[in-house]
Amino acid sequence: TKSIKFYDLIVTSKSYNCKSEELPSLGAKYVFFQNNGFLPLIHKPCKSCEKTNYSHDVVFIGSAELDRLKLMNAMAASGIIVNIYGVGWEKKEFAKYMHHNLIIHHKELREDKYAEALSCSKISLCFLRKINRDLQTARTVEIPACGGFMLAERTSEHQLMFKEGVEAEYFENVDELIRKTKYYLEDKNNSKRLKIAANGRKKCLVGGYSLENRAKEILDKI
């Protein structure tokens, strides 16, 4: 924080960092807020989902946090099977929230395998890290970029990036999370789910959400 005043430009994906009481109060000359992005070579639809081992009804990829686990435990208790990838889920304090419908794979997914899981699973969950005060995360863009159907926490930034019910779906609480998950897992709603996923992918492409474009935005500020 002592070095902040020496930089001509600070780029952040945390919108609250731009507030006068945050980075500017530490001497930042110019703070540029930028949404998250995706890598086209990695975050793209899988063309052979029938051959992958990472095709699920519901998937979550991310590190272990109690608030996330409680939400997924409630989903599991309602009869939804959730496949979880990431680290830290073996912690003892999490044990009482481990419903048998939660399938913990105890491994990280990276690059092609990560993209396959997001692309080939019917629903990809997007939870935010509360300690970071996040209103969006890397998965916010990576899931739609992979052609996946994103069901994310409803925030102002999410709604600006992807239109609700058209390019992604959002939830406010556990009841809405469970209701929307079950709705989009129904066979009769497959076409709606696939259409939203396709629209989300298109938005990433036409909206300039690639990291290459993000880099160009930064260079334009220099």
Side-chain angles (χ1 to χ4, degrees):
T1 56
K2 292 181 179 179
S3 68
I4 285 175
K5 62 184 179 182
F6 297 110
Y7 291 93
D8 294 312
L9 173 67
I10 295 179
V11 184
T12 178
S13 61
K14 316 295 184 186
S15 57
Y16 50 78
N17 285 162
C18 301
K19 295 180 179 179
S20 59
E21 67 270 22
E22 299 225 355
L23 287 175
S25 72
L26 297 173
K29 298 174 185 176
Y30 182 52
V31 183
F32 175 45
F33 166 69
Q34 188 178 62
N35 290 316
N36 283 278
F38 74 99
L39 285 167
L41 290 177
I42 296 175
H43 306 122
K44 57 186 177 181
C46 177
K47 296 182 179 179
S48 55
C49 286
E50 69 282 354
K51 297 180 181 180
T52 182
N53 294 321
Y54 304 106
S55 179
H56 307 293
D57 277 354
V58 182
V59 69
F60 174 69
I61 305 174
S63 56
E65 289 188 13
L66 186 57
D67 63 321
R68 299 171 173 180
L69 180 57
K70 286 181 178 179
L71 287 171
M72 291 188 286
N73 186 67
M75 295 174 72
S78 76
I80 300 168
I81 297 174
V82 184
N83 282 265
I84 301 172
Y85 295 88
V87 297
W89 296 102
E90 70 284 352
K91 294 179 182 178
K92 291 182 179 179
E93 60 264 36
F94 293 166
K96 65 180 179 179
Y97 299 105
M98 287 295 181
H99 192 278
H100 61 82
N101 281 336
L102 296 179
I103 302 175
I104 314 295
H105 294 273
H106 296 295
K107 64 178 179 179
E108 294 184 90
L109 294 183
R110 298 184 180 276
E111 298 184 347
D112 290 346
K113 292 179 180 179
Y114 174 77
E116 285 176 16
L118 298 179
S119 176
C120 298
S121 296
K122 292 181 180 179
I123 295 176
S124 293
L125 302 174
C126 180
F127 299 121
L128 300 174
R129 193 178 294 275
K130 303 304 183 293
I131 195 172
N132 288 350
R133 301 175 290 168
D134 283 347
L135 296 175
Q136 60 173 276
T137 185
R139 282 184 296 274
T140 299
V141 183
E142 292 167 355
I143 293 172
C146 289
F149 177 92
M150 180 170 68
L151 179 54
E153 295 183 57
R154 184 181 290 108
T155 70
S156 57
E157 290 180 18
H158 276 165
Q159 290 175 309
L160 285 173
M161 295 175 73
F162 297 98
K163 188 174 181 180
E164 184 166 3
V166 177
E167 297 162 339
E169 269 291 4
Y170 304 120
F171 66 91
E172 192 76 29
N173 51 49
V174 66
D175 292 334
E176 187 175 17
L177 170 61
I178 292 171
R179 176 173 58 81
K180 286 191 172 180
T181 299
K182 290 184 175 181
Y183 177 84
Y184 283 106
L185 286 180
E186 292 182 17
D187 290 341
K188 65 179 182 179
N189 296 320
N190 278 344
S191 60
K192 292 181 182 179
R193 176 176 51 78
L194 292 172
K195 180 64 174 177
I196 290 173
N199 287 342
R201 164 73 176 170
K202 182 178 179 180
K203 185 60 173 288
C204 289
L205 299 176
V206 303
Y209 290 178
S210 71
L211 288 178
E212 179 181 7
N213 189 70
R214 297 298 188 222
K216 291 178 180 177
E217 292 172 354
I218 295 171
L219 291 174
D220 287 342
K221 299 293 181 181
I222 298 175

